[in-house]
Amino acid sequence: MADVSVQDNVEDDEEDGAGAVLTFTVAVEETGQRFDSWLTARAGTHSRSRYKALIKQGAVRVGGRTIVEPNYRVNEGDVVEVDEPAPVDANPQPEDIPLTVVFEDDDLIVIDKPAGLVVHPGPGNWTGTLVNALLHHCGDTLSGIGGVKRPGIVHRIDKDTSGLLVVAKTDAAHRGLSAQFADHGRTNALERAYMALVWGAPPSRRGTIDAPLARSLANRLKIAVVRSKESRGGKEAITHWEMKTRFGALDTDAIASLVECRLETGRTHQIRVHMAHIGHPLIGDADYGAHFKTKAQKLPEHAREVVGRFHRQALHAVLLAFEHPTTGEILRFESALPEDFAELVAAFGEI
């Protein structure tokens, strides 16, 4: 999820229902209906998107056979079994998870998030999130504007992206920070910069990608570039990039390059999708750069081995600056590349 998303743009997650196996039989008049739509109408506990996810997760069976295609067409007499997830506590609980705190006062806290840490609870990640850690660290001082599942969360970065983010501890701070993120830094002090290691190298030293983004039609969990903001609910997305280092040569092209990306907007997966859109996906990005895996086979042995064990997108939120919502002071924070990312860059530097 840009790899940063303003909280107001984040859809609410569905709560899991009661733990049970529900059984239904398809009536004659229901024959031919799409599976997820039929299940939503018959069961009625969750939204269609939630039932679609349950189908894809293998939690639904027809005649004892697991069906994972939401567009499967039901037939008269089909006996359908649904594994309803066990209930979860709607309120996240404090958990003693170590945090790297860069800055903290009575209004806000700046965290250097490690890769692998989900920002807030949701399906598949009800515990072990940054929110759970913040509840333990901050107690009941977090802003309530984000709701019980996202207390204090003004913006977020992807689970497998590392780096800086700010969390509000008061409602006033939350409103002030949200206003800065909503303005995208165009008239205020907000700055967000990321380091990305990408396959190949852009043809120039710097550039801007202005390409609207929307949910992919092929996979609703992914994001895609669309023709215009009027297409499929597309949202404006602008990324400014600058190439910092080129690495080696593969045939006549650079093998990889280290690129700084600055966000003018904050859309889900923005940097990852934009860099892939111009032909330079992030190394390690299984969603948007999987077709570049063959390049790794042509690397020298050590670099190939390091890339092989790097199981996330090579993206790190290296800079975050904003105006303190209470004092008006301009706060600016920088984060060094984490160990796994630094090792990856060093391996390409040896080529």
Side-chain angles (χ1 to χ4, degrees):
M1 288 161 11
D3 303 275
V4 173
S5 299
V6 175
Q7 185 56 44
D8 289 345
N9 293 334
V10 179
E11 296 180 356
D12 289 336
D13 298 308
E14 294 286 341
E15 294 180 18
D16 284 342
V21 176
L22 305 181
T23 303
F24 306 94
T25 301
V26 178
V28 60
E29 64 271 17
E30 296 171 327
T31 297
Q33 292 184 16
R34 182 182 161 110
F35 200 17
D36 52 356
S37 298
W38 173 86
L39 190 55
T40 304
R42 287 298 300 271
T45 306
H46 305 300
S47 67
R48 186 172 71 87
S49 62
R50 181 60 171 135
Y51 281 118
K52 184 176 181 179
L54 287 173
I55 292 169
K56 288 184 174 182
Q57 292 165 12
V60 185
R61 296 171 296 282
V62 177
R65 181 169 62 96
T66 299
I67 300 293
V68 295
E69 296 84 17
N71 60 353
Y72 168 81
R73 300 293 171 170
V74 298
N75 298 293
E76 177 190 359
D78 280 349
V79 177
V80 179
E81 295 177 309
V82 183
D83 294 331
E84 284 275 287
V88 297
D89 191 341
N91 298 308
Q93 299 301 307
E95 295 180 41
D96 189 4
I97 300 170
L99 290 174
T100 300
V101 178
V102 177
F103 174 87
E104 182 176 12
D105 64 11
D106 291 339
D107 298 291
L108 56 88
I109 180 171
V110 178
I111 301 294
D112 197 339
K113 186 186 84 69
L117 182 63
V118 176
V119 171
H120 59 72
N125 296 286
W126 291 112
T127 61
T129 72
L130 176 62
V131 163
N132 297 107
L134 287 167
L135 289 171
H136 181 272
H137 179 86
C138 301
D140 59 0
T141 64
L142 294 173
S143 162
I145 290 178
V148 294
K149 294 181 186 175
R150 303 183 179 104
I153 301 300
V154 178
H155 69 117
R156 58 179 182 164
I157 56 181
D158 292 344
K159 171 186 176 182
D160 290 326
T161 297
S162 52
L164 298 165
L165 77 163
V166 59
V167 176
K169 295 175 70 176
T170 68
D171 288 355
H174 200 137
R175 286 189 288 268
L177 290 168
S178 292
Q180 293 183 58
F181 277 87
D183 185 61
H184 306 304
R186 289 164 176 158
T187 62
N188 56 53
L190 182 70
E191 288 185 77
R192 292 169 290 170
Y194 292 71
M195 295 305 296
L197 188 63
V198 304
W199 288 113
S204 57
R205 175 60 66 177
R206 58 182 58 86
T208 295
I209 306 167
D210 185 349
L213 300 177
R215 290 285 175 184
S216 168
L217 291 177
N219 183 343
R220 294 287 295 172
L221 298 179
K222 296 174 67 173
I223 305 299
V225 169
V226 292
R227 184 172 301 177
S228 69
K229 287 185 286 185
E230 289 71 37
S231 300
R232 299 185 357 236
K235 295 181 179 179
E236 180 183 37
I238 301 173
T239 303
H240 305 284
W241 59 266
E242 180 178 355
M243 183 167 56
K244 296 297 185 180
T245 310
R246 288 168 58 102
F247 297 107
L250 185 61
D251 299 325
T252 59
D253 300 321
I255 295 176
S257 55
L258 188 63
V259 178
E260 181 185 89
C261 296
R262 289 185 176 250
L263 294 174
E264 187 172 324
T265 57
R267 306 304 179 197
T268 300
H269 298 179
Q270 180 174 315
I271 292 173
R272 298 164 62 190
V273 177
H274 271 177
M275 294 309 297
H277 178 62
I278 65 171
H280 302 288
L282 275 60
I283 290 173
D285 194 333
D287 290 326
Y288 303 105
H291 55 294
F292 272 67
K293 279 186 176 180
T294 54
K295 275 203 170 188
Q297 302 307 312
K298 299 181 181 180
L299 296 172
E301 182 178 356
H302 179 246
R304 185 169 66 250
E305 188 269 329
V306 173
V307 170
R309 65 170 182 262
F310 190 83
H311 300 302
R312 68 178 181 100
Q313 63 267 7
L315 188 63
H316 179 68
V318 68
L319 169 68
L320 177 63
F322 54 88
E323 179 181 321
H324 193 288
T326 300
T327 68
E329 180 185 1
I330 304 302
L331 302 179
R332 186 181 180 89
F333 305 98
E334 296 187 26
S335 171
L337 294 180
E339 185 177 351
D340 64 338
F341 199 147
E343 181 188 26
L344 189 67
V345 172
F348 276 93
E350 296 171 359
I351 299 173

